[in-house]
Amino acid sequence: MTIKGGLVSQEFSAAFSTVACEPAGVVWNKVCMVLKRELGDAAFGSWIAPAVLREGQAGDVVLVTPTGIARDWIRRSAWRRVSELWAANDATARRLELKSRLEFEAAAGASSAAMGTYGETKAEPIEIVLPVSSDVPALAPTNGARPSPVQGLQERFTFDTFVPGPANEFAHAVARRVASWADGHFNPVLFHGPYGFGKTHLLNALAWEAMRQAPTKRVVYLTAERFLSTFVRAVMDRQTTAFKEELRGADLLIIDDVHFIAGKQSSQEELFHTLTALVEDGRRVVFSSDRAPAAMTEMDARLRSHLSAGLVCGLEPADRALRLGILERKLQALSRQHGFEPTLRIEVLHFLADRFTDSVRELEGALNTLSARAGEGVSRLTLDEVQAILRPHLRAGEKRITIDDIQKATSEHYGMKQADLLSERRNRAIARPRQAAMWLAKQLTTRSLPDIGRRFGGRDHTTVLHAVRRIEALRAEDPVLSQDLETIARKLRG
């Protein structure tokens, strides 16, 4: 559960770099690969992965554990195997010792007059080896390179790929500030919003940036599910003390989807005490949830209160401009991925942005589907072809919207009768809502233009086409109309 699994400190002396042999980090990585297979992800992630390799006072190599409990577990359960693997892979037969962090720091402090105080060392990692931790990121490189991808954190979710807009710009600014380790931060920070609003992307980006900004600080990223499963295993193995020490040793603790812990009494209790300890110690804590703490009625009142005590930051639904920006960014990513430059017709872009309004994931999924189906031909797809390809996705998981539903919702929104939309009246107070309803019918149903026209008082398909084009043009310059259309569409989708 830590970011330091299998990584090597830069405190190795120059003697190590001049020996014609594999670096100690490479040897340790080979050892870890075998240990992970033999011990399993849970035991390896809990006990071996948090340890770091350092140079001892006599030039030997020391495996340093964050706690004495972790040291004792390794010595009792795995040290013989660790020593065998180290000897088999290290051609120069360097001696490997095992110490807790307190032991190592005490030894370093004893010789501080000759070597400098350990606490003042500015050593940086000199190499990044393959990630061995099963659920958290490896330490970020200090040469400006991107951190290595690992399970848990997703490499594609960075600030570079996050598209800010009015719906999320405050949350984005808060995440940036936390990741910069700036003083004066709120603690804890909780980002909340429904599924698909970008919370996980934001937390991943925060973690990557925090590691890049401060490679020596300890960042722990967990999903709530991982927190629960690890805690339950620790209870079963009677290792809850080690579990607590692991979390409370973090400089920055990030837990995604914390609402899943609600209702699980012992896990809530542990999280409450962990949160309290970290905040009191000046460590940083960031959570995400699907709703604000006040709405988590099934959560323990004390924990809910503590979640509310820092900064509660909501993410709003992406507006149309932001959705279009996300599509453009996604097209750029597809271009790099597939080696060609996909573009979409403007009416297709607008259809996607207007049709998939509730979840950024669904919006990106629709674009992925089009790209997979059409390949380089995606640029030539017409709106009708796009609707045909996406028809299963448009209908899956949501109620079927009829033209009658659209007419009722539109007339209610504009305070008029449904019969007015079907009438021959052409004054603007009637004509504009009628055009809006036709546009919604084109966006939210799979009915053809002639069919839509027949259901609006027997009008010709050219009238519907004119209405769709007119509304499309007006939306770009009339924010009130754009907001009206989004409001009606959301109401129709429930």
Side-chain angles (χ1 to χ4, degrees):
M1 293 190 301
T2 78
I3 63 169
K4 295 185 178 179
L7 298 183
V8 184
S9 170
Q10 197 177 4
E11 294 177 15
F12 286 104
S13 64
F16 278 101
S17 62
T18 59
V19 176
C21 65
E22 285 186 321
V26 174
V27 177
W28 178 238
N29 189 70
K30 292 179 178 179
V31 172
C32 285
M33 291 298 104
V34 177
L35 289 174
K36 187 176 181 182
R37 288 196 304 268
E38 294 181 351
L39 296 175
D41 284 351
F44 181 88
S46 297
W47 303 110
I48 305 295
V52 289
L53 211 59
R54 297 188 181 278
E55 180 194 5
Q57 299 301 319
D60 52 347
V61 184
V62 183
L63 184 62
V64 181
T65 63
T67 65
I69 293 175
R71 174 205 59 203
D72 294 342
W73 186 93
I74 293 175
R75 181 169 290 149
R76 181 178 63 253
S77 306
W79 188 242
R80 178 179 297 179
R81 184 58 175 153
V82 169
S83 300
E84 290 174 353
L85 292 169
W86 179 268
N89 286 280
D90 184 23
T92 56
R94 285 167 287 198
R95 182 184 176 190
L96 179 66
E97 293 188 356
L98 176 66
K99 292 181 180 180
S100 69
R101 184 164 54 194
L102 289 177
E103 288 177 327
F104 184 81
E105 291 176 0
S111 57
S112 59
M115 301 175 61
T117 304
Y118 173 76
E120 296 174 353
T121 353
K122 302 298 181 185
E124 302 286 353
I126 58 174
E127 58 182 321
I128 296 298
V129 295
L130 296 175
V132 294
S133 180
S134 60
D135 63 329
V136 287
L139 196 62
T142 57
N143 58 2
R146 299 252 326 261
S148 300
V150 299
Q151 290 181 328
L153 284 184
Q154 299 184 54
E155 189 179 34
R156 65 191 179 97
F157 287 158
T158 67
F159 283 128
D160 289 339
T161 59
F162 190 85
V163 182
N168 60 29
E169 60 186 357
F170 179 63
H172 177 253
V174 170
R176 281 278 195 184
R177 181 168 180 81
V178 174
S180 71
W181 302 94
D183 293 331
H185 62 284
F186 293 94
N187 208 17
V189 174
L190 184 137
F191 299 101
H192 71 88
Y195 169 85
F197 276 33
K199 304 184 300 297
T200 296
H201 190 150
L202 204 58
L203 262 60
N204 274 252
L206 192 160
W208 287 124
E209 182 65 14
M211 289 188 292
R212 191 187 70 81
Q213 293 277 350
T216 59
K217 288 187 180 292
R218 189 160 172 249
V219 176
V220 175
Y221 172 93
L222 291 171
T223 62
E225 179 184 8
R226 183 72 182 179
F227 175 91
L228 289 169
S229 63
T230 308
F231 176 65
V232 169
R233 183 177 291 274
V235 171
M236 294 174 64
D237 294 343
R238 298 183 180 180
Q239 299 293 342
T240 53
T241 301
F243 176 81
K244 294 175 183 178
E245 291 184 0
E246 285 297 307
L247 287 187
R248 298 177 194 184
D251 295 295
L252 170 60
L253 173 64
I254 303 172
I255 297 183
D256 198 6
D257 290 332
V258 72
H259 53 275
F260 284 125
I261 297 175
K264 300 170 176 63
Q265 193 55 45
S266 58
S267 298
Q268 288 183 121
E269 184 81 12
E270 178 56 38
L271 183 59
F272 168 76
H273 290 298
T274 296
L275 172 59
T276 302
L278 288 171
V279 171
E280 288 179 351
D281 200 31
R283 313 296 180 93
R284 302 177 186 220
V285 186
V286 178
F287 298 114
S288 78
S289 68
D290 65 350
R291 55 197 183 277
M296 291 187 242
T297 55
E298 68 277 26
M299 182 171 280
D300 178 80
R302 292 183 306 164
L303 179 55
R304 191 168 66 242
S305 174
H306 274 61
L307 292 176
S308 305
L311 176 62
V312 178
C313 185
L315 279 78
E316 299 297 327
D319 60 16
R320 188 171 189 259
L322 180 54
R323 293 195 297 272
L324 287 170
I326 291 170
L327 285 171
E328 291 174 3
R329 184 67 62 87
K330 182 67 177 177
L331 284 169
Q332 294 171 7
L334 289 173
S335 173
R336 293 190 297 269
Q337 180 179 349
H338 297 297
F340 62 90
E341 297 185 7
T343 58
L344 292 178
R345 296 186 179 190
I346 189 66
E347 63 270 22
V348 172
L349 274 174
H350 288 172
F351 167 74
L352 294 175
D354 295 328
R355 186 61 182 79
F356 297 93
T357 60
D358 296 328
S359 169
V360 172
R361 286 193 183 97
E362 292 177 0
L363 179 64
E364 293 182 336
L367 186 54
N368 287 336
T369 299
L370 296 177
S371 176
R373 286 285 297 273
E376 295 188 40
V378 70
S379 305
R380 298 188 294 273
L381 289 176
T382 66
L383 179 56
D384 287 340
E385 290 171 333
V386 167
Q387 289 178 324
I389 292 172
L390 297 178
R391 186 169 292 126
H393 302 272
L394 298 176
R395 290 178 175 175
E398 64 177 41
K399 68 177 184 179
R400 181 171 174 267
I401 299 173
T402 67
I403 292 179
D404 185 61
D405 293 332
I406 293 171
Q407 291 172 348
K408 288 178 179 177
T410 305
S411 58
E412 288 175 4
H413 181 81
Y414 286 105
M416 55 193 296
K417 296 177 182 178
Q418 185 177 351
D420 292 333
L421 298 177
L422 311 181
S423 71
E424 294 297 327
R425 299 170 60 185
R426 296 187 179 182
N427 59 304
R428 184 170 179 175
I430 301 295
R432 188 55 47 78
R434 182 189 296 130
Q435 290 175 332
M438 289 179 176
W439 181 89
L440 287 165
K442 179 60 178 172
Q443 301 297 316
L444 303 180
T445 76
T446 56
R447 298 293 183 181
S448 65
L449 294 179
D451 197 8
I452 293 173
R454 282 193 296 270
R455 293 167 187 268
F456 277 84
R459 285 172 165 80
D460 186 79
H461 77 280
T462 58
T463 303
V464 180
L465 181 60
H466 171 75
V468 170
R469 289 175 173 173
R470 181 62 178 155
I471 292 297
E472 197 63 49
L474 287 173
R475 313 180 56 214
E477 57 191 46
D478 188 344
V480 175
L481 174 62
S482 181
Q483 184 61 45
D484 285 344
L485 294 169
E486 289 214 16
T487 301
I488 298 170
R490 288 187 184 281
K491 182 179 180 180
L492 286 165
R493 294 193 184 104

